[in-house]
Amino acid sequence: MEIAGSVSSILQHKGAQIWSIGPKATVFEAIALMAEKNVGALPILAGEKLVGILTERDYTRKVILKGKSSKQTPIEDIMTGSLVVAGPNDSVTGCMKIMLERRLRHLPVMENEKLMGIISMGDLVRWVISAQAATIDQLESYVTGGYSA
């Protein structure tokens, strides 16, 4: 089943606010920012160039489990550098498929090498639920002839 909508629609709806951090910052600084902004991932920018992403999963697997110090470890030592990205015209269904296959929770959205935002699996699920609710409303209206019961 194809879900109507594109990544740009999701970004317009949720807002394209981007919180980011540089690769030389410490993991502790990144985790503090993630907690403050209530996000599960941060894009890592060197200037305006996206060089990686840091997720809660990176932190638990590459710092905590390896006994590293979050206050001394630079982000560039643990960030995910090989990125899977989406474009603003990519479909919701296509992004969900990629995220499920690759076991990703966050997908940076790039256009002409510029970071436009990040979508999460939660954003996609909310979009699908909203689309289904709209479809149900339309079908109910059609079946009832547009009149309330």
Side-chain angles (χ1 to χ4, degrees):
M1 178 176 140
E2 184 72 26
I3 302 296
S6 65
V7 170
S8 62
S9 300
I10 292 174
L11 289 179
Q12 287 173 358
H13 182 48
K14 79 174 245 179
Q17 178 67 50
I18 303 169
W19 292 283
S20 65
I21 197 162
K24 301 286 185 195
T26 65
V27 171
F28 184 84
E29 293 170 310
I31 297 300
L33 180 59
M34 289 166 69
E36 176 188 334
K37 302 302 183 185
N38 194 30
V39 295
L42 284 176
I44 311 305
L45 298 177
E48 291 191 23
K49 180 179 167 76
L50 180 66
V51 295
I53 190 167
L54 182 71
T55 67
E56 292 166 333
R57 187 183 290 174
D58 291 323
Y59 176 67
T60 58
R61 294 180 180 182
K62 299 174 186 174
V63 175
I64 302 264
L65 289 177
K66 295 199 175 187
K68 294 183 178 184
S69 166
S70 60
K71 289 189 176 183
Q72 295 174 349
T73 303
I75 293 168
E76 63 191 353
D77 286 0
I78 69 156
M79 70 183 186
T80 300
S82 56
L83 297 172
V84 176
V85 300
N89 296 320
D90 289 351
S91 71
V92 169
T93 304
C95 288
M96 287 186 88
K97 182 178 177 186
I98 289 168
M99 292 174 82
L100 287 169
E101 287 173 354
R102 299 276 187 103
R103 299 180 55 99
L104 303 172
R105 294 182 190 148
H106 302 90
L107 203 53
V109 179
M110 302 289 293
E111 184 174 41
N112 300 323
E113 298 185 29
K114 181 176 179 351
L115 181 64
M116 305 303 293
I118 291 186
I119 57 171
S120 69
M121 185 55 83
D123 295 330
L124 295 173
V125 169
R126 274 189 290 282
W127 186 266
V128 169
I129 290 169
S130 176
Q132 288 175 339
T135 299
I136 290 168
D137 287 346
Q138 289 172 351
L139 289 171
E140 285 177 344
S141 179
Y142 175 76
V143 168
T144 62
Y147 300 107
S148 301

